[in-house]
Amino acid sequence: MYDLLIKNGKVVDGSGLPAFRADVAVQDGRIVKIGHITEGARRVVDAAGKVVTPGFIDPHTHFDAQLLWDGFAKPALAHGVTTIVPGNCSLSLAPLRAEHRMKLVGMFNQIEEMPLKAFREGVVWDWETFAGYIARIRKGLAINVAPLVGHSVLRLWVMRQAAMERTATEAEIAEMQGLLRECLDAGAVGLSTSFVDMDERLLPVPSRYADAAELDALAGVLGEYGRMLQVVPEFYDADLTIARLDQLAELSLKHSIPTTFSPLFVNVDTVEAVARVMRRVDEQFDRGARVWPQVQTRPIDISFCFAVPSLLFFRMPNWYRLMRFSEPQDIIAAFRDGDSREKLIGEAAAYADLWPRLTLRHVNTKANRPLVGKTLAEIAALRGVTPIDAMIDLSIEEDLDAHFLSAGLGHNDDAEVGRLLAHPRVHVGASDGGAHILSFSTYGDTGYLLGHFVRDLKMLSLEAAVKKVTSDTASIWGIPARGLLQPGYVADIVIFDPQTIDRGEEDYVADVPGDGSRYVRDSRGIDQVFVGGALAWSSSGGYQDAHGEVLPGLAA
């Protein structure tokens, strides 16, 4: 008598080999048999007409804080994601001294657009070490977690204030090496760092003060464990990205480690630049280096309101400083003041093509609800003002809680994105799940891959796409016994309808601690999701009492 028997499904096993009809039997959380199975089971699932695959792995998330109040990492599980990698971009919630908690919160707020109030009301700070954080998130965990440790927090722990001022001494580097070993022993699957991010003061994050010797020393520790180095390069410049890529390749070759950089976007004006980056990726792989570029599947859509800072305005210093460093009443006062408003509008004129295309997507007042769904060009015509004036006026009327959408900012050329995703050395990732919760929904990238690029555009085969987000990711990251449907492997399993799988529309939901809201997407076509053989989510019953794991590193 098996614990679970999935019958009559089309098995796409994650290997990239052709799909086949078979039953899948699970016992004690592991796959024990695949084929024609006549024995009974305590739970039998008829998957006729459905596809059965390994659970999807998301290698670039920021669920670090959300896991403290939501062990399901909602709605990731509902999209078939059974394993997440938090701790990217040099930021993790451990190791962290009590004196640096608010500093880290400020960095999460600036870089990942996580609300300060969510940290204040949703986080009980009862750990400092990485092992302590792991013990904390294990409570109520329903999804598998393969956490990175952030370079910036390593520097903060060892160097304190000096981490944000200078390079490290040899003694400090040695202490960071020891601390990194402790984190890897506790379950970290690698180290993340950043060459671009800024803190809440708009100054470089601590990792950006590290020199090449420091990064080399830490990569040496990763080499002892065979673990990953994740990097955010200067992605806005192809030459700088290629230079970082070359640096990663040398570290990969010297220390025999995998490396990954994210994000890599392809826009109308960056097609040749991205082609140059990928040619260098191929050259470095041919040398034996492992430098995996991470590419997201979805277009870049950004929502914003003036109640919180938005990275959309980062290239407009007056706007961004106002949003970043002002109280709501001061922002409204600046919008109403003639001189201040004129200065802001003058700066916005450099992006004149942007404002008319923005869509009003959320308001609270009854008077403005008929305008929801209209562009600022349409609203401006109704009111007899300019689009930028319409945006400012609506923000005043809604006490800064008018939300606007800038859709299709980039990464939206299906032909170019599809070709990039199909590249054998492209790592599908960069979802940013758990971050930017008021800017865009970071959920449904796998559904968009399988629905849009596989079913609709036929730019990848179903088998190739599943391999990208299962066994490829598990192999790249050194995650054992996951990513394939084979006897002996952990039974992380997704059952979905290939004709309907997709991501849903963005919804604005109030489920963030501190009375906060965020944008999310429901899944489409996902039928059931199993974690370690236990039902974690189903389309009929929602989230279930599953038991996720903190995945151990190779050293464990």
Side-chain angles (χ1 to χ4, degrees), residues 82-106:
T82 57
T83 299
I84 56 174
V85 179
N88 285 274
C89 305
S90 90
L91 302 181
S92 60
L93 290 186
L96 187 66
R97 299 182 190 275
E99 66 198 72
H100 296 139
R101 287 168 181 165
M102 290 306 101
K103 173 65 185 178
L104 185 63
V105 167

Side-chain angles (χ1 to χ4, degrees), residues 365-538:
T365 66
K366 183 177 180 180
N368 285 327
R369 282 176 195 156
L371 301 176
V372 171
K374 295 184 183 297
T375 66
L376 282 182
E378 293 170 327
I379 296 170
L382 290 172
R383 293 187 168 200
V385 298
T386 67
I388 190 73
D389 280 306
M391 180 181 71
I392 293 173
D393 291 339
L394 284 165
S395 298
I396 294 172
E397 293 161 17
E398 297 292 327
D399 289 329
L400 303 186
D401 201 28
H403 293 217
F404 306 92
L405 170 66
S406 178
L409 278 173
H411 204 64
N412 56 355
D413 183 324
D414 284 340
E416 295 297 337
V417 174
R419 276 193 286 270
L420 193 57
L421 291 171
H423 193 289
R425 286 164 176 163
V426 159
H427 186 19
V428 174
S431 83
D432 263 348
H436 308 290
I437 63 176
L438 288 175
S439 292
F440 47 85
S441 175
T442 57
Y443 315 103
D445 284 19
T446 48
Y448 194 69
L449 171 68
L450 296 168
H452 188 64
F453 287 102
V454 172
R455 180 187 60 239
D456 300 340
L457 300 182
K458 297 179 173 53
M459 298 195 74
L460 292 88
S461 70
L462 177 61
E463 292 87 348
V466 169
K467 181 174 182 285
K468 284 270 189 182
V469 295
T470 57
S471 66
D472 277 0
T473 309
S475 296
I476 290 167
W477 286 80
I479 299 173
R482 281 179 165 84
L484 289 170
L485 295 183
Q486 289 185 3
Y489 274 63
V490 176
D492 295 340
I493 301 173
V494 182
I495 303 173
F496 65 85
D497 183 344
Q499 300 306 314
T500 61
I501 189 168
D502 208 333
R503 58 176 190 166
E505 296 297 319
E506 279 193 348
D507 290 323
Y508 189 58
V509 299
D511 67 350
V512 179
D515 301 320
S517 299
R518 61 177 176 152
Y519 286 105
V520 299
R521 291 182 187 269
D522 292 333
S523 61
R524 298 286 185 268
I526 300 287
D527 188 54
Q528 296 183 58
V529 181
F530 295 87
V531 175
L535 182 64
W537 184 88
S538 72

